[in-house]
Amino acid sequence: AQSVSQHNHHVILSEAASLELGCNYSYGGTVNLFWYVQYPGQHLQLLLKYFSGDPLVKGIKGFEAEFIKSKFSFNLRKPSVQWSDTAEYFCAVNARSSNTGKLIFGQGTTLQVKP
Amino acid sequence: EAQVTQNPRYLITVTGKKLTVTCSQNMNHEYMSWYRQDPGLGLRQIYYSMNVEVTDKGDVPEGYKVSRKEKRNFPLILESPSPNQTSLYFCASSPGQGVPNTEAFFGQGTRLTVV
């Protein structure tokens, strides 16, 4: 069965610190990969996505992620976080062969940025 | 504006009192899904629909029903809510098999409390 694991459940950083959130998935086939962000009290918004091509993808608000196929990983990075990045972050995968559009989510990582 | 609209945003109800959470999308998407979000568990799929009159169970369907009589609407029905259904619920839509590599769009969420 497919699964997604996010290594960090709660991360606390000071402003301007660098961020890396780990995400590993378990699935033998081809996948689409996503990072979603949920700001307090709001719905999920897409940060970035990977379908094919360059494994280093850039998203909104200065975020980027790198797909490493051999490691089944899709880690999220940001060189310098801001207080406004405080949110919950979800990694998700969708099996390319799936005809249901189903997303498998990780457990989420709560990021708290101290001003 | 392309969007997924859920109602209500907040709901407190009593055990056993039937309720419906509505979901509507204006993007002519074929796929629609319901997820529940619980702390430490991420989002888990409850039910999904691949098109009108085509629905199927997700990972946690017990205690829920859905219907898809029109393409734009995908209501979630709790016939006899119980306290373990207290959660944050999200509706999502995506284009469908004809547009394979695209992300899901999420509604604002419905925070349900069953007492």
Side-chain angles (χ1 to χ4, degrees):
Chain A
Q2 300 168 46
S3 66
V4 177
S5 177
Q6 293 180 235
H7 314 305
N8 320 96
H9 297 299
H10 198 152
V11 174
I12 302 173
L13 294 173
S14 299
E15 275 194 313
S18 64
L19 170 72
E20 180 158 2
L21 301 182
C23 173
N24 285 89
Y25 67 92
S26 170
Y27 181 67
T30 305
V31 295
N32 297 325
L33 297 151
F34 307 87
W35 274 98
Y36 282 89
V37 61
Q38 185 180 29
Y39 297 105
Q42 296 191 26
H43 67 297
L44 282 86
Q45 301 172 40
L46 183 70
L47 263 183
L48 46 78
K49 59 191 177 187
Y50 173 80
F51 296 138
S52 63
D54 188 344
L56 183 62
V57 293
K58 295 192 184 300
I60 61 172
K61 304 186 181 186
F63 286 91
E64 64 178 31
E66 184 175 13
F67 172 49
I68 303 179
K69 190 175 181 179
S70 61
K71 295 184 178 181
F72 297 90
S73 71
F74 190 55
N75 293 352
L76 181 71
R77 299 193 291 248
K78 185 171 184 179
S80 176
V81 295
Q82 301 173 312
W83 176 78
S84 58
D85 293 323
T86 294
E88 191 158 16
Y89 293 80
F90 292 96
C91 180
V93 303
N94 162 247
R96 195 79 63 82
S97 61
S98 167
N99 62 355
T100 68
K102 178 179 179 178
L103 287 167
I104 306 294
F105 285 87
Q107 306 94 317
T109 297
T110 301
L111 171 65
Q112 183 182 352
V113 180
K114 294 181 175 179
Chain B
E1 180 189 353
Q3 59 186 0
V4 179
T5 304
Q6 291 178 230
N7 279 296
R9 293 287 310 280
Y10 302 91
L11 179 59
I12 301 174
T13 191
V14 296
T15 299
K17 185 177 181 181
K18 181 180 178 180
L19 66 92
T20 299
V21 183
T22 64
C23 174
S24 180
Q25 50 93 4
N26 63 359
M27 296 169 278
N28 201 37
H29 285 170
E30 290 184 354
Y31 292 164
M32 296 187 75
S33 298
W34 277 102
Y35 293 85
R36 61 177 288 174
Q37 181 184 356
D38 301 291
L41 297 177
L43 281 81
R44 294 175 293 166
Q45 191 184 57
I46 303 170
Y47 266 94
Y48 66 92
S49 169
M50 293 170 61
N51 215 322
V52 175
E53 302 291 4
V54 182
T55 63
D56 208 346
K57 296 177 181 179
D59 296 319
V60 288
E62 293 77 22
Y64 304 94
K65 285 175 55 178
V66 293
S67 69
R68 188 93 182 271
K69 293 184 170 54
E70 307 163 286
K71 200 170 188 178
R72 63 184 292 123
N73 296 323
F74 189 47
L76 179 70
I77 303 156
L78 285 72
E79 294 270 2
S80 183
S82 62
N84 64 12
Q85 292 178 296
T86 293
S87 187
L88 180 57
Y89 292 86
F90 287 100
C91 180
S93 74
S94 54
Q97 268 190 299
V99 186
N101 289 340
T102 185
E103 71 270 22
F105 295 82
F106 285 83
Q108 296 279 77
T110 296
R111 186 166 292 282
L112 172 66
T113 302
V114 184
V115 298

